[in-house]
Amino acid sequence: MTGTIAQVQGTVSHASESIFGKLLINDKNGFPTAEDIFNFYPKAFVIIGNLGQFKGENGVNQEHLRSFELCRKNFNQPEIITFDELYERAKYITEVNDI
């Protein structure tokens, strides 16, 4: 996970330095589009594992879960989420918006 986080942080840093501010978007023929895109501090995510990995036959391994939560809560960038959390977010968004 550490290598992944370092790679994402490097990518965000590069994007922040090389494509900073307002981006001019052109269509395939080179004409400007009406789109405004800004890049000041891009949000990044690391999606890894699932919370079920901390559960055993007789309950949750609190030490493993605690270590994971402490690690991810101490990272501002990127946000670390699990696949099942991402699924639940997407499910909630689609249910709320009746998609």
Side-chain angles (χ1 to χ4, degrees):
M1 186 166 78
T2 330
T4 302
I5 291 168
Q7 182 179 8
V8 170
Q9 288 174 333
T11 302
V12 168
S13 175
H14 177 62
S16 295
E17 294 165 3
S18 61
I19 18 179
F20 182 80
K22 185 176 181 178
L23 304 174
L24 301 175
I25 306 299
N26 296 326
D27 66 16
K28 63 182 178 181
N29 297 318
F31 293 102
T33 65
E35 300 172 300
D36 286 333
I37 298 176
F38 297 89
N39 183 40
F40 292 108
Y41 192 71
K43 181 78 174 155
F45 298 88
V46 168
I47 305 165
I48 187 168
N50 68 67
L51 293 176
Q53 292 175 278
F54 301 110
K55 293 180 184 173
E57 269 185 46
N58 299 312
V60 174
N61 183 322
Q62 291 185 11
E63 286 301 311
H64 289 177
L65 180 60
R66 178 180 176 271
S67 295
F68 176 71
E69 290 295 344
L70 288 172
C71 177
R72 77 171 169 172
K73 296 299 179 197
N74 281 292
F75 278 98
N76 179 8
Q77 180 75 340
E79 181 179 343
I80 302 169
I81 60 175
T82 62
F83 285 99
D84 53 322
E85 291 171 321
L86 178 62
Y87 173 79
E88 289 300 322
R89 285 185 189 186
K91 186 175 157 187
Y92 174 77
I93 290 168
T94 56
E95 287 173 356
V96 167
N97 293 312
D98 293 322
I99 295 176

